[in-house]
Amino acid sequence: MRPLSSGRDREPRLTVVGIPGNRRTTLFQDAVRAAGLPPAREVSWLDVLRGRAGFAAGETVRIDSPGEDPEVDRLLRGAEDSTRVEGTGRWYERFTAAARELGERARGAGAELLDDPEELAVLFDKRLCHGVLDAAGVAVPESPTSGADAPAVHGWDDVRALMAGAGLRRAFVKIAHGSSASGVLAVQIAGPGRVRATTSVERDAAGRLYNSLRVRTYTGERAVAAIVDTLAPDGLHIERWLAKGTVDGRSADLRVVVVAGRATHTVVRTSRSPMTNLHLGGARGDLDAVRAETEASGGSWSAALALCEQAADCFPGTHCVGVDLMPSSDWRRFSVCEVNAFGDLLPRLTGLPGSGAEGLDTYAAQLAALPRRAARAPEEGVACRAPR
């Protein structure tokens, strides 16, 4: 592959803020090397959080996930056990503060950011992100907690009242700052006391919550309320639980990677539970079959990808996002469930036909799209903003 250009007269001087040696950083460096570029300079999240990170003029800075490092997680969440669910509110406050300081340092030094810290603050708050998408006309599930002015959720009583007010008998209750299905409950209310929730949350005898790789179902209002009340201090988001299309009898959705405004990669995720995350037992589905089913049902595959691009356009200062796309049960319509800032970890997946990323993985596609990014970047103050 020929060396790539950033759109200037020289190659980009790349810097990645992440966890040195982990799979995300390694895959990005592999793509940099395959592109014929000098290795990216690595800045660790530990240095960022300890105030030791510096940047230089002319650098192009990629901000990657602070996950998969126990010490970083401890500094962000204040918890010794990384499997605990609680602490995401503290994580969000510390992460967004660190990202903003990182951004100020980088811009002050004359570096270019591939990820806008203010947009990251919106992307990592499901309530704010849903509100931004809804205001932009992106099809999203109905939510009584959408936007900056949404009512606070203090516990199960509020969840039940908000669901009733919105006419919801089935809803996803999510921690506002969670990821990878952590703290997500698929809640069904059939009547007084007749409540059940499907989740990967495990509750011990002391009432502490842990992430598990096993999806389980809690029945009875008291059991579900106990989990929700424990999660509520970190912030909760509620969405209508939409019936999704199926593949071979399994519920299906899609992760669509959008790079510089263009949908480049897609993976189908299927599951027998409401959560399709691959680490929770989900499996990859047949993308060709999904496209064929969509078109045969009277839907439009190109419109589905365009919807993902519309969602990504809400975050023009973020070079790459992963959009979670839900098909309707009849495969004729689609809606956006979430937009993920670090949703590009899809090893060995190559680009869609006609995307311009054919033969490239998600990281190589981001490098190849650097020239296109310049035309998409927002003017100062235009990007999505999170309330401070």
Side-chain angles (χ1 to χ4, degrees), residues 8-343:
R8 297 185 289 268
D9 293 334
R10 54 179 174 74
E11 295 174 345
R13 291 165 48 201
L14 295 168
T15 297
V16 57
V17 177
I19 307 299
N22 84 344
R23 52 185 178 164
R24 290 177 178 273
T25 303
T26 298
L27 287 168
F28 180 68
Q29 292 283 32
D30 288 345
V32 170
R33 182 168 51 253
L37 296 171
R41 184 172 73 89
E42 297 182 10
V43 175
S44 75
W45 268 107
L46 277 177
D47 283 344
V48 171
L49 294 171
R50 291 169 176 167
R52 299 199 299 246
F55 302 92
E59 288 186 316
T60 298
V61 180
R62 166 187 170 85
I63 302 176
D64 212 330
S65 171
E68 301 183 356
D69 185 294
E71 179 62 13
V72 170
D73 186 69
R74 187 186 67 78
L75 290 174
L76 289 173
R77 289 201 304 134
E80 296 296 333
D81 189 342
S82 60
T83 65
R84 289 286 296 275
V85 180
E86 302 97 320
T88 55
R90 183 183 297 111
W91 181 97
Y92 178 77
E93 291 178 1
R94 294 179 178 178
F95 168 74
T96 54
R100 284 170 172 138
E101 181 180 352
L102 181 165
E104 290 172 0
R105 288 193 178 199
R107 288 170 176 148
E112 177 186 4
L113 289 171
L114 295 181
D115 307 272
D116 184 284
E118 295 299 333
E119 293 185 7
L120 290 178
V122 175
L123 289 163
F124 275 98
D125 188 315
K126 298 181 192 302
R127 301 161 300 189
L128 297 178
C129 186
H130 190 285
V132 166
L133 295 171
D134 192 35
V138 176
V140 290
E142 179 186 356
S143 169
T145 55
S146 178
D149 298 326
V153 180
H154 301 290
W156 171 248
D157 289 344
D158 288 340
V159 168
R160 179 136 200 179
L162 288 167
M163 286 181 61
L168 305 180
R169 311 270 314 185
R170 302 198 324 161
F172 278 97
V173 179
K174 308 176 180 182
I175 48 178
H177 313 299
S179 61
S180 301
S182 175
V184 173
L185 293 90
V187 175
Q188 302 177 72
I189 300 177
R194 298 172 60 193
V195 178
R196 59 186 290 158
T198 303
T199 180
S200 62
V201 171
E202 180 178 356
R203 186 172 184 264
D204 70 7
R208 294 169 297 209
L209 305 183
Y210 295 86
N211 287 305
S212 168
L213 295 179
R214 182 171 73 87
V215 176
R216 67 200 70 213
T217 298
Y218 293 88
T219 58
E221 189 158 5
R222 181 176 297 179
V224 175
I227 296 174
V228 171
D229 288 345
T230 304
L231 293 174
D234 285 314
L236 293 177
H237 176 57
I238 304 167
E239 291 180 351
R240 181 182 291 276
W241 177 353
L242 298 174
K244 293 190 286 192
T246 60
V247 174
D248 295 329
R250 296 164 62 92
S251 294
D253 61 19
L254 303 96
R255 166 64 58 84
V256 180
V257 177
V258 182
V259 179
R262 183 179 299 170
T264 58
H265 297 72
T266 302
V267 63
V268 180
R269 307 180 301 187
T270 71
S271 176
R272 298 198 184 281
S273 84
M275 276 74 76
T276 59
N277 302 72
L278 300 180
H279 72 284
L280 295 178
R284 291 195 180 190
D286 186 335
L287 179 58
D288 289 336
V290 163
R291 287 189 294 209
E293 179 69 22
T294 299
E295 298 293 342
S297 300
S300 168
W301 177 247
S302 62
L305 295 184
L307 178 62
C308 296
E309 293 173 350
Q310 181 189 3
D313 283 344
C314 294
F315 305 96
T318 304
H319 188 48
C320 174
V321 295
V323 179
D324 289 346
L325 186 68
M326 296 189 298
S328 62
S329 58
D330 60 8
W331 288 95
R332 293 181 181 178
R333 298 172 305 281
F334 290 83
S335 58
V336 171
C337 176
E338 294 184 8
V339 181
N340 305 272
F342 306 133

Side-chain angles (χ1 to χ4, degrees), residues 357-374:
E358 298 89 341
L360 304 178
D361 69 9
T362 60
Y363 299 98
Q366 291 171 62
L367 293 172
L370 285 176
R372 192 169 75 245
R373 177 182 182 275

